[in-house]
């Protein structure tokens, strides 16, 4: 299996830092509160280090953010090629408005739910699935940073009722949505109830991003492609569609109440 250059770079820097301190893998694992097998897998490029792992290494080895910088480059490398442009936009945006009719948006997915979504196509290898799960979870740091963007998510009620993974996976995912909706002030979650019937959102998912400077842009993702469009006329049209979808959705609190109710039905 071919590993990314930055993943190999991280592994080499970790081995060198450990050797300079005359530390065993077990000693390093204990110092950063990770298992020795995990440290071994990172050093042999079998496992991609998490941001938390990288930051703990920086603190231990006093490397002034070096491991974190390499880890972030690994994350950018492992993002699906067509998603890379949008990943940069997403990371810098001051506001994101996401609509999804089919499943929970990636920024709100639990690890098990993400794995179920990515496994569904049957086209990805086990390694590719795990790589994309890790990348997706890494993107979610946008929710917990010091000043997150304003994040508004709208999705169809059918998302709450379509089983992806086991029943426990569904219950944990819906409880996770409620937790984020209640604990992250910048996040707003709205559900379009099934009773609405036909509405514009059924044509497919999209995300609108408002950058720190400049005009909004929109992102569409298909089976094996993604497309970013910043043409003013087109973006304004999608904003109109967004407003129409948003107008038929439940309020934030009503949505959280519905999600919590459906979560218990997955017991």
């Amino acid at each position: 299996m071919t590993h990314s250059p930055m993943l190999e770079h991280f592994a080499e820097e970790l081995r060198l830092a450990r050797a300079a301190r005359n530390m065993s893998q077990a000693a390093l694992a204990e110092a950063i509160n990770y298992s020795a097998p995990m440290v071994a897998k990172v050093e042999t490029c079998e496992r991609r280090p998490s941001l938390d792992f990288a930051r703990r290494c920086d603190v231990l080895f006093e490397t002034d953010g070096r491991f974190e910088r390499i880890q972030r480059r690994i994350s950018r490398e492992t993002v699906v090629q067509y998603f890379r442009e949008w990943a940069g936009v997403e990371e810098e945006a001051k506001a994101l408005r996401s609509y999804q009719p089919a499943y929970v948006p990636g920024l709100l997915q639990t690890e098990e739910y993400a794995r179920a979504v990515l496994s569904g196509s049957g086209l990805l290898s086990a390694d590719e699935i795990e790589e994309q799960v890790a990348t997706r979870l890494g993107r979610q740091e946008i929710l917990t940073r010091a000043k997150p963007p304003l994040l508004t998510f709208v999705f169809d009620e059918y998302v709450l009722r379509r089983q992806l993974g086991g029943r426990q996976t569904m219950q944990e995912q819906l409880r996770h949505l409620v937790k984020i909706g209640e604990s992250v002030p910048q996040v707003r979650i709205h559900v379009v109830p099934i009773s609405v019937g036909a509405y514009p959102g059924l044509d497919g998912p999209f995300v609108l991003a408002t950058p720190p400077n400049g005009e909004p842009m929109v992102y569409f993702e298909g089976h094996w492609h993604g497309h970013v469009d910043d043409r003013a006329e087109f973006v304004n049209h999608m904003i109109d569609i967004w407003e129409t979808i948003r107008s038929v959705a439940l309020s934030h609190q009503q949505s959280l109440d519905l999600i919590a109710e459906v979560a218990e039905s997955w017991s």
Side-chain angles (χ1 to χ4, degrees):
M1 179 181 173
T2 302
H3 302 295
S4 80
M6 294 313 299
L7 189 61
E8 292 178 350
H9 182 36
F10 190 101
E12 181 182 21
E13 288 291 328
L14 187 59
R15 289 192 298 269
L16 289 171
R18 185 168 59 76
R21 293 284 186 97
N22 197 27
M23 295 180 79
S24 66
Q25 287 183 342
L28 170 58
E30 185 176 352
I32 63 173
N33 200 28
Y34 275 81
S35 69
M38 171 62 81
V39 170
K41 287 181 178 180
V42 170
E43 288 196 359
T44 55
C45 300
E46 291 177 61
R47 182 63 62 88
R48 190 164 70 90
S50 66
L51 185 60
D52 178 68
F53 185 102
R55 285 174 171 165
R56 287 172 186 247
C57 289
D58 278 324
V59 170
L60 175 65
F61 296 121
E62 300 175 328
T63 38
D64 194 29
R66 181 195 309 158
F67 285 104
E68 179 176 342
R69 288 192 294 275
I70 300 171
Q71 194 276 343
R72 289 188 180 279
R73 289 191 65 182
I74 293 169
S75 293
R76 287 194 290 271
E77 273 188 358
T78 54
V79 170
V80 178
Q81 179 66 41
Y82 66 72
F83 190 78
R84 286 183 186 173
E85 179 186 1
W86 181 253
V89 172
E90 181 182 80
E91 197 171 326
E92 296 175 359
K94 65 179 183 180
L96 290 167
R97 290 171 282 181
S98 168
Y99 171 70
Q100 175 57 255
Y103 47 77
V104 173
L107 290 176
L108 300 177
Q109 290 176 5
T110 62
E111 181 174 346
E112 286 304 315
Y113 185 91
R115 188 170 288 115
V117 170
L118 291 164
S119 301
S121 70
L123 299 173
L124 299 175
S125 69
D127 284 342
E128 288 171 330
I129 289 169
E130 291 309 309
E131 193 172 78
Q132 290 198 33
V133 167
T135 299
R136 185 162 296 185
L137 297 179
R139 286 170 49 216
Q140 295 177 3
E141 289 157 15
I142 196 172
L143 298 169
T144 55
R145 67 192 190 196
K147 192 176 180 183
L150 294 172
L151 296 158
T152 307
F153 300 93
V154 180
F155 44 87
D156 197 280
E157 182 180 344
Y158 191 53
V159 167
L160 311 177
R161 303 186 184 279
R162 171 186 282 122
Q163 183 170 342
L164 296 178
R167 297 184 69 84
Q168 184 177 352
T169 296
M170 288 300 301
Q171 185 171 62
E172 288 176 354
Q173 173 63 75
L174 300 196
R175 287 176 173 173
H176 179 65
L177 290 175
V178 174
K179 180 180 178 182
I180 291 177
E182 291 178 340
S183 63
V184 184
Q186 290 85 353
V187 169
R188 285 290 175 268
I189 295 173
H190 302 278
V191 176
V192 178
I194 289 173
S195 59
V196 167
Y199 66 101
L202 296 177
D203 287 336
F206 63 92
V207 185
L208 287 159
T210 305
N213 301 297
E215 298 302 312
M217 54 191 74
V218 64
Y219 175 72
F220 298 94
E221 185 170 0
H223 290 286
W224 289 105
H225 69 280
H227 176 62
V228 179
D229 201 315
D230 60 1
R231 293 173 295 166
E233 183 179 353
F234 185 70
V235 172
N236 287 335
H237 175 68
M238 294 310 300
I239 290 173
D240 288 343
I241 290 177
W242 165 266
E243 294 297 343
T244 303
I245 296 170
R246 175 66 189 83
S247 72
V248 298
L250 300 174
S251 71
H252 175 69
Q253 190 56 55
Q254 288 173 324
S255 297
L256 295 186
D257 290 345
L258 175 61
I259 295 167
E261 179 185 321
V262 178
E264 295 318 301
S265 74
W266 285 110
S267 296

